[in-house]
Amino acid sequence: YCVTDPGAGSDVAGIKTKAEKKGDEYVINGQKMWITNGGKASWYFLLARTDPDPKAPASKAFTGFIVEANSPGIQIGRKKMNMGQRCSDTRGIVFEDVRVPKENVLIAEGAGFKITMGASDKTRPPVAAGAVGLAKRALDEATKYALERKTFGKPIVEHQAVSFMLAEMAMKVELARMAYQRAVWEVNAGRRSTYYAFIAKAFAGDVANQVATDAVQIFGGNGFNTEYPVEKLMTVAKIYQV
Ligand SMILES: Cc1cc2nc3c(=O)[nH]c(=O)nc-3n(C[C@H](O)[C@H](O)[C@H](O)COP(=O)(O)OP(=O)(O)OC[C@H]3O[C@@H](n4cnc5c(N)ncnc54)[C@H](O)[C@@H]3O)c2cc1C
């Protein structure tokens, strides 16, 4: 899924990768960044600007292409070493005079921005679900630890400061789960779900970070150590907010 350029991520309409029609082909030039599975995929979805007029509206200026990953002119960069999710293959990809037949245009020239934004309805809720799974694991680990670890003569779960924290964590996990289920409900009903999909992703991403950070706190010094699971959960959580 090649949308992000080095100079534009959230600002999708700011991408500079361009495609020019020449006869029955399009010639693509530009650079993509942070492409998940960039070194594994056999073909890419690529978003490029096809209308060079800077005043052209985003809804008409961009086109989505299917591009064979082994096309001449494609240079795949080295795997990035990220803060978390280290198994995930994330790379920069350079496109230099890459020729794509016009049949590889998705829907029609100019439809790319809508395709890209529309994809979010179905791709944001599973991302939110991943964030909820991470938060639930952090809650479970912290609860187990709080029942076992003793300070001042009793398990730390019996100190209200800790049990209140666990209660807050549980509330957040349950609400984030309901948020992505609502978004998926809309998709299953055949309705546009952009509103719910983005609420679910933004909320669950925040919840994953808050709950993982609280879990590290409940583990005390052990939480800061790689021998316990919550340290990894805290670093992996960050990507869900990016
Ligand atoms: C591990 C990983 C995998 C990825 N996989 C893919 C992939 O497969 N395909 C793909 O196309 N992209 C992928 N991305 C890119 C990802 O979509 C972008 O990183 C993301 O959209 C943010 O864009 P950016 O990094 O350019 O940050 P920027 O857009 O430069 O944002 C920088 C900061 O400014 C904030 N900001 C930006 N605009 C505003 C605004 N209007 N108001 C307030 N705050 C604002 C942002 O929230 C952020 O905090 C991946 C990124 C990572 C890290």
Side-chain angles (χ1 to χ4, degrees), residues 1-12 15 32-38 45 47 80 82-85 88-91 116 124 201 238-239 241-242:
Y1 184 72
C2 301
V3 172
T4 305
D5 274 16
S10 355
D11 182 13
V12 173
I15 63 161
K32 294 294 174 184
M33 196 63 179
W34 306 117
I35 305 309
T36 304
N37 286 329
F45 165 77
L47 187 71
K80 301 274 179 206
N82 295 328
M83 184 196 264
Q85 296 196 338
S88 178
D89 182 88
T90 327
R91 297 169 192 254
T116 305
R124 298 300 87 184
K201 198 270 178 184
K238 191 60 204 172
I239 189 59
Q241 281 179 317
V242 173

Side-chain angles (χ1 to χ4, degrees), residues 51 70 210 224 227:
D51 189 336
N70 60 4
Q210 290 159 4
F224 199 64
E227 282 176 30

